[in-house]
Amino acid sequence: MRKVYLDNAATTRPHPKVVEAMQPYFTELFGNPLSFHSYGQAAKKAVDEAREKVAKLINAKPSEIIFTSTGTEANNFAIKSAATANQQKGKHIVISGIEHHSVLYSAKAMEKLGFKVTLLPVDKYGIVNPEDVLKAITPETILVSVMHSNNEIGTIEPISEISKITKEKGILLHTDAAMSVGNIPVDAAGLGVDMLTMSAHKFYGPKGIGALYVRKGARIVPFIHGGIQEDGRRAGADNVQGIVGMGMAAEIAMEEIPERVKKITPLRDKLIKGLTEKIEHIHVNGHLTNRLPGNVNICIDYIEGEAMLLFLIKEGIAASSGSTCSSKALKASHVLLAIGVSDATAQGSLLFSLGRDTTQEDIDHVLTVLPPIVERLRAMSPIYNK
Ligand SMILES: *Cc1c(COP(=O)(O)O)cnc(C)c1O
């Protein structure tokens, strides 16, 4: 059976060169970077080089990169450490209503500690209006967090416009760029953000390694206490092999991003066009052009996303319904609800996320098998009558 992987928003297949680069750090190069002997120094050199590569990918300085265990940790770090460090100035946090749960629930956790959290609305495409950021800011506001691109609907947010506002007001700005970094160009310095989240497994690196960019001078407190790793801000023995893998993924991305965008965008548009032509009562979520190259998010009325997923699995197609993290809960996605999709329609959501390995044949396979699946399910549906 043909196997088609269209769930790159959940995770990507590590690039073969990434796996190869990591290999020696499980065997002969097993040292701890804090040790002075040759084992340690070899590991330290590898970590330093990886830090430079990750920094270069987002136009930052190596000293501005803090490695974390995941993108989730980087988001927790950004929200909690920035809020804690600046609470004397005020206790108000502003985030968009379509943030990843690791930002959303970190902010909610701060609410329990006495902070106030404002959720920004988005338009029907999922775009945050910078004017709404300005309106939400009060003298108490210390932190704004708006994601660089959304993991479910692919919408890219106007971060540089938002940073003009936060800079003028002297407020920290964080952006969760986990879906963007390595897939589209991201320039942390150019964007004018204070903090930026990355996750290696979203761009052909290994799972379990991420990073937080913290602009020099931005005020945060340490997130994990212990040793002197990561400048004392994130203690714990370095995940050397993971860091090396992330560095290699960054190096490859530097070179491959233009090709990736050029290859994946037309495949995305072909899938969107084919599905909307072949299936009735279908909606494309997010913006048609201002979106990640690999993102196709649709809602198909009168059927459940989960049912379609099961039939797709039978045809060898791996996709997702809403976000990986919330799809198990069978709850309508907060992102779809925020862009005005009804609860009923949100149940019929499907996310196809394309990647560097996606081919024309993969897209053709989906276009061949999905329309009959929809017909079959609709024929069984009590709420559908043509
Ligand atoms: C995947 C993802 C995360 C979490 O990263 P992990 O490394 O999987 O914890 C955070 N935010 C966004 C937008 C993501 O897509």
Side-chain angles (χ1 to χ4, degrees):
M1 185 173 62
R2 192 182 174 85
K3 284 187 96 180
V4 175
Y5 185 75
L6 291 170
D7 204 7
N8 288 279
T11 197
T12 58
R13 174 196 291 267
H15 192 288
K17 277 196 200 165
V18 166
V19 179
E20 194 190 328
M22 291 171 74
Q23 199 69 42
Y25 296 91
F26 289 103
T27 51
E28 64 268 31
L29 298 174
F30 62 86
N32 184 327
L34 287 188
S35 305
F36 282 114
H37 45 62
S38 65
Y39 299 90
Q41 291 311 296
K44 180 175 185 301
K45 185 162 171 274
V47 168
D48 289 347
E49 283 171 9
R51 197 186 303 281
E52 275 169 30
K53 289 172 185 172
V54 172
K56 196 170 164 204
L57 178 62
I58 61 158
N59 187 28
K61 301 184 194 86
S63 59
E64 293 173 322
I65 304 297
I66 303 176
F67 286 113
T68 60
S69 66
T70 50
T72 295
E73 186 193 316
N75 281 339
N76 273 261
F77 191 162
I79 303 295
K80 294 173 182 173
S81 292
T84 307
N86 296 279
Q87 57 186 324
Q88 268 82 29
K89 284 205 249 167
K91 288 190 152 196
H92 180 223
I93 302 169
V94 176
I95 68 172
S96 90
I98 61 165
E99 294 301 309
H100 187 265
H101 282 142
S102 53
V103 168
L104 199 57
Y105 295 153
S106 291
K108 297 263 176 212
M110 295 317 287
E111 225 169 20
K112 293 218 173 75
L113 297 175
F115 285 77
K116 216 178 140 260
V117 177
T118 299
L119 293 188
L120 295 167
V122 292
D123 69 9
K124 64 178 177 181
Y125 300 115
I127 300 173
V128 171
N129 184 344
E131 293 209 355
D132 287 331
V133 177
L134 186 62
K135 275 189 244 160
I137 291 173
T138 73
E140 284 281 299
T141 312
I142 50 161
L143 172 65
V144 174
S145 180
V146 175
M147 67 206 311
H148 191 270
S149 62
N150 184 271
N151 47 306
E152 291 183 42
I153 57 173
T155 303
I156 298 171
E157 300 294 343
I159 301 301
S160 357
E161 282 157 60
I162 295 171
S163 82
K164 285 193 191 101
I165 297 166
T166 51
K167 262 191 203 160
E168 197 184 299
K169 297 274 180 187
I171 296 165
L172 290 177
L173 175 62
H174 165 252
T175 190
D176 174 1
M179 275 314 296
S180 300
V181 170
N183 292 304
I184 56 172
V186 174
D187 175 345
L191 284 170
V193 296
D194 299 286
M195 294 174 285
L196 181 146
T197 291
M198 296 165 256
S199 173
H201 76 102
K202 300 297 175 76
F203 63 102
Y204 316 103
K207 283 170 265 300
I209 185 73
L212 182 66
Y213 156 86
V214 181
R215 183 185 56 75
K216 188 170 184 289
R219 243 176 92 129
I220 57 157
V221 296
F223 187 56
I224 295 183
H225 300 91
I228 59 163
Q229 294 92 350
E230 305 302 303
D231 243 348
R233 292 183 290 188
R234 200 273 183 188
D238 291 306
N239 172 4
V240 177
Q241 59 276 24
I243 291 170
V244 167
M246 186 171 188
M248 180 51 85
E251 185 181 333
I252 299 166
M254 266 309 271
E255 203 173 293
E256 267 192 14
I257 284 176
E259 290 164 45
R260 283 178 192 169
V261 173
K262 218 172 127 200
K263 180 193 160 191
I264 298 168
T265 309
L267 292 175
R268 172 198 74 189
D269 294 340
K270 178 180 175 171
L271 183 56
I272 290 178
K273 185 160 175 282
L275 291 176
T276 47
E277 279 171 5
K278 290 180 176 211
I279 298 170
E280 283 186 351
H281 308 292
I282 181 171
H283 320 266
V284 180
N285 299 309
H287 199 276
L288 273 183
T289 51
N290 185 32
R291 76 189 298 138
L292 289 170
N295 178 285
V296 177
N297 188 312
I298 51 170
C299 282
I300 299 181
D301 284 338
Y302 314 113
I303 341 183
E304 296 213 325
E306 304 293 320
M308 285 186 279
L309 276 188
L310 292 177
F311 280 93
L312 285 173
I313 289 169
K314 279 195 183 165
E315 300 288 347
I317 299 168
S320 139
S321 174
S323 87
T324 337
C325 315
S326 51
S327 64
K328 287 204 182 68
L330 278 180
K331 225 173 82 181
S333 140
H334 68 293
V335 176
L336 294 181
L337 297 179
I339 60 172
V341 173
S342 73
D343 210 312
T345 297
Q347 299 298 334
S349 85
L350 277 183
L351 170 59
F352 297 101
S353 40
L354 291 58
R356 65 187 291 279
D357 301 320
T358 306
T359 62
Q360 294 279 354
E361 291 73 39
D362 291 343
I363 301 303
D364 291 338
H365 188 48
V366 176
L367 290 175
T368 307
V369 305
L370 186 55
I373 290 175
V374 169
E375 252 176 56
R376 240 166 99 191
L377 285 167
R378 276 187 180 155
M380 304 189 301
S381 164
I383 47 171
Y384 181 68
N385 42 50
K386 207 166 174 184

